[in-house]
Amino acid sequence: MNKNSSNTMALAPNTSNKRETVCIFGTGDFGRALGHKMIQSGYPVVYGSRSTQISNLIPKDAEVLSHAEAAQKAAIIIIAIQRQHYNFLTPLAEVLRGKVLVDISNNLKLNQYPESNAEYLAQLLPGSKVVKAFNTVSAWALQSGTLDASRQVFVCGDDVEAKQMVMNIVRALGLTPLDKGSLLAAQEIENYPLQLFPMWKFPIFLSLGLTAFFFFYCVVLDIIYTYIYEKNNFSFFIAITIPNRVCPVMALILLALVYLPGIFAAIIQLYRGTKYRRFPDWLDKWMLCRKQLGLIALAFASLHVVFTLVTPLRAFASWRTGKGIISQALNNKTEPLDHTNAWLSDSYLALGILGFFLFVLLGITSLPSVSNNVNWREFRFVQSKLGYLALILCTAHTLVYGGKWFLSPSAYKWYLPNIYILSLIVPCAVLVVKFVLIFPCVDKPLTQIRQGWERNPKYSE
Ligand code: NAP
């Protein structure tokens, strides 16, 4: 192979491109980490600091000058200082005129100030071009090189050229700039690192609440009731039996809750005769956390599988099997195989296995690395069609398993229905309404509405 081919040449670093000097105000944690990374990427760095004494923490190839002297040496100045100290910049307004100021600051609370820090900086120094960037990257990640999770750098600013200059630096550092538009986006970018799993709050609280409710429901019916009326101590049910009842119930209900908002949305659109009116806030929020609800449901379903697989290892299971065999031996009578029972048990297991398989498939396709590789139609096919199929299979699994108890009076201890009856309410309601919605007389107007048709155009105002 010809070593001088253009391909080989393209891989060689371009050393002829001399980088422009970058000035960093502030020699704190972030200023030092960013300066270090910039020097590694070939940028001469000059620090503007209150103290021009060189400390051994500062990257050794960097210069440390007063703020005014340092600012004169560069066209881009990174302000690695907390917002509350920005006032010290006002006397430097003349030196900073026309320069690009990069605001990297974060706050301690969401929407802490009426305006974003970047907008505040732009108000203080109207002659400078303010760009917001780097605030979602941590000093630790910059220094340790573990930038994989925060490779994306949100950038926004009103001056297109200034924004471009900052995005070039971002790229040169091996990061990916994401243009978020004008400085108006700065508030959102500043709030971003302060959020704590915003989409997970509702699904987690709902799951915790429902799990606690079903757990105590089972404790009352399976342990306390049995102890009072049958004098049997089944307190050990707390470890495996009850969790293995609660997990499938939670998985089924949460899976149904993934599809319930879509049903509500369809009913609302049909009622209003338009898709151009916003859904109520609660429905919007519910729709946005469907993926999280589905993933928690998958976690419960997986636990149910593990609990079920360990059942034969339990002392209680061996005792019950042994008891059955001994009672047949004592009576000198072998019980014939109950074919109905055999069919029921094999069917519910088969339905459960197929349902779980689809459940896992739904979970896998919701991973960004997978969902980015399928088109919208394929994604919808898996999440909607196969999702409903998973719901049908899991509902049928529960119906076949618990169906025999629904009519038996022993299922209503203290007049309370069995947990499996409760678990079927939401999934059955979702499936019945969905079945109605796919009738052509309902589906046709709904499809038209979703394509932009309006029954009463006044709603689109
Ligand atoms: P830091 O370690 O406290 O450093 C702040 C620097 O600001 C100080 O070292 C000091 O530099 C300068 N300073 C302090 N008081 C000043 C004053 N009254 N007047 C002028 N300058 C003053 O803070 P940091 O962690 O580097 O954070 C700096 C900025 O980066 C903050 O706005 C923060 O929100 C943002 N940020 C930090 C991280 C992070 O991981 N640390 C991540 C993203 C964004 P001199 O002594 O050199 O003057």
Side-chain angles (χ1 to χ4, degrees):
M1 196 183 141
N2 181 5
K3 284 196 173 174
N4 291 329
S5 69
S6 58
N7 281 349
T8 320
M9 293 299 286
L11 291 173
N14 186 353
T15 45
S16 63
N17 263 356
K18 202 173 169 309
R19 309 262 197 215
E20 294 267 333
T21 302
V22 175
C23 168
I24 301 176
F25 276 6
T27 55
D29 293 339
F30 197 80
R32 289 197 312 268
L34 191 61
H36 189 71
K37 183 87 183 155
M38 286 192 160
I39 290 171
Q40 278 181 344
S41 311
Y43 285 96
V45 170
V46 53
Y47 282 99
S49 174
R50 292 167 301 169
S51 155
T52 51
Q53 265 188 341
I54 298 267
S55 101
N56 56 3
L57 288 172
I58 293 171
K60 78 173 173 357
D61 294 322
E63 249 187 300
V64 185
L65 302 171
S66 70
H67 292 113
E69 285 171 323
Q72 276 160 4
K73 294 213 167 195
I76 297 186
I77 297 146
I78 294 168
I79 314 290
I81 293 169
Q82 266 95 1
R83 170 188 167 130
Q84 59 269 31
H85 306 311
Y86 279 4
N87 277 337
F88 92 96
L89 292 165
T90 356
L92 299 170
E94 269 319 300
V95 190
L96 299 176
R97 183 170 295 282
K99 309 253 177 192
V100 177
L101 303 186
V102 186
D103 181 296
I104 56 148
S105 63
N106 282 319
N107 293 321
L108 296 176
K109 283 192 282 182
L110 285 171
N111 302 316
Q112 190 173 350
Y113 300 100
E115 75 290 274
S116 66
N117 298 347
E119 286 169 303
Y120 173 63
L121 185 62
Q123 282 164 21
L124 283 179
L125 300 162
S128 308
K129 303 163 192 170
V130 175
V131 175
K132 180 92 206 173
F134 290 115
N135 68 308
T136 51
V137 181
S138 79
W140 179 81
L142 275 172
Q143 209 143 27
S144 61
T146 50
L147 273 166
D148 277 357
S150 48
R151 212 164 260 283
Q152 217 166 43
V153 174
F154 299 128
V155 182
C156 76
D158 293 337
D159 188 293
V160 177
E161 208 183 320
K163 201 160 53 174
Q164 207 52 55
M165 287 165 77
V166 176
M167 298 216 292
N168 287 343
I169 295 183
V170 172
R171 273 189 214 100
L173 300 188
L175 306 170
T176 314
L178 190 75
D179 190 345
K180 296 287 274 182
S182 76
L183 218 51
L184 286 175
Q187 186 102 350
E188 191 190 318
I189 299 179
E190 284 168 17
N191 281 340
Y192 184 82
L194 296 172
Q195 286 170 346
L196 185 69
F197 303 119
M199 292 300 145
W200 284 91
K201 270 188 199 143
F202 169 67
I204 287 176
F205 285 129
L206 181 77
S207 312
L208 286 178
L210 285 176
T211 307
F213 169 75
F214 285 122
F215 191 85
F216 287 111
Y217 196 84
C218 287
V219 167
V220 170
L221 295 192
D222 296 332
I223 300 178
I224 300 177
Y225 181 93
T226 322
Y227 186 73
I228 293 175
Y229 289 98
E230 295 165 19
K231 297 284 173 265
N232 278 327
N233 180 0
F234 284 149
S235 53
F236 63 89
F237 273 12
I238 282 181
I240 290 189
T241 307
I242 292 181
N244 200 22
R245 279 189 194 157
V246 174
C247 285
V249 164
M250 286 301 300
L252 183 59
I253 293 178
L254 291 179
L255 183 62
L257 290 180
V258 171
Y259 294 97
L260 189 57
I263 299 275
F264 282 139
I267 294 170
I268 290 175
Q269 286 178 333
L270 275 172
Y271 173 74
R272 290 175 173 170
T274 179
K275 69 164 188 175
Y276 296 115
R277 259 180 86 191
R278 276 200 58 188
F279 291 126
D281 258 2
W282 58 266
L283 187 55
D284 263 344
K285 284 188 188 142
W286 189 352
M287 299 245 245
L288 286 174
C289 61
R290 284 181 293 182
K291 174 178 157 178
Q292 288 73 9
L293 280 170
L295 288 175
I296 298 177
L298 175 59
F300 276 114
S302 309
L303 281 175
H304 171 48
V305 170
V306 176
F307 278 131
T308 307
L309 289 177
V310 300
T311 298
L313 304 177
R314 300 174 61 206
F316 179 62
S318 348
W319 171 79
R320 217 166 45 176
T321 316
K323 198 176 142 205
I325 295 168
I326 291 167
S327 107
Q328 287 185 48
L330 287 177
N331 294 334
N332 202 13
K333 191 177 157 210
T334 313
E335 274 179 24
L337 176 68
D338 180 343
H339 281 264
T340 317
N341 244 349
W343 261 108
L344 282 176
S345 89
D346 280 12
S347 310
Y348 93 75
L349 286 174
L351 288 164
I353 292 167
L354 290 174
F356 183 66
F357 171 75
L358 288 182
F359 225 136
V360 173
L361 200 68
L362 293 176
I364 292 173
T365 45
S366 73
L367 294 172
S369 53
V370 179
S371 60
N372 289 346
N373 283 311
V374 292
N375 66 29
W376 176 235
R377 200 167 168 207
E378 291 162 344
F379 184 78
R380 266 194 58 121
F381 173 77
V382 175
Q383 293 297 329
S384 177
K385 303 275 187 303
L386 294 189
Y388 266 108
L389 186 57
L391 184 60
I392 293 171
L393 289 171
C394 294
T395 308
H397 167 69
T398 316
L399 259 172
V400 175
Y401 178 70
K404 59 184 178 221
W405 294 324
F406 294 168
L407 299 174
S408 140
S410 66
Y412 296 87
K413 296 171 184 167
W414 281 325
Y415 303 104
L416 292 171
N418 187 288
I419 186 173
Y420 296 108
I421 302 178
L422 292 184
S423 74
L424 285 166
I425 297 172
V426 186
C428 287
V430 169
L431 290 175
V432 169
V433 182
K434 179 68 185 172
F435 183 67
V436 174
L437 288 174
I438 56 174
F439 268 89
C441 58
V442 185
D443 184 50
K444 212 170 148 206
L446 187 60
T447 311
Q448 280 179 330
I449 289 168
R450 287 182 172 166
Q451 283 168 351
W453 174 83
E454 285 184 286
R455 192 186 319 124
N456 186 355
K458 87 174 175 202
Y459 281 134
S460 61
E461 280 163 20

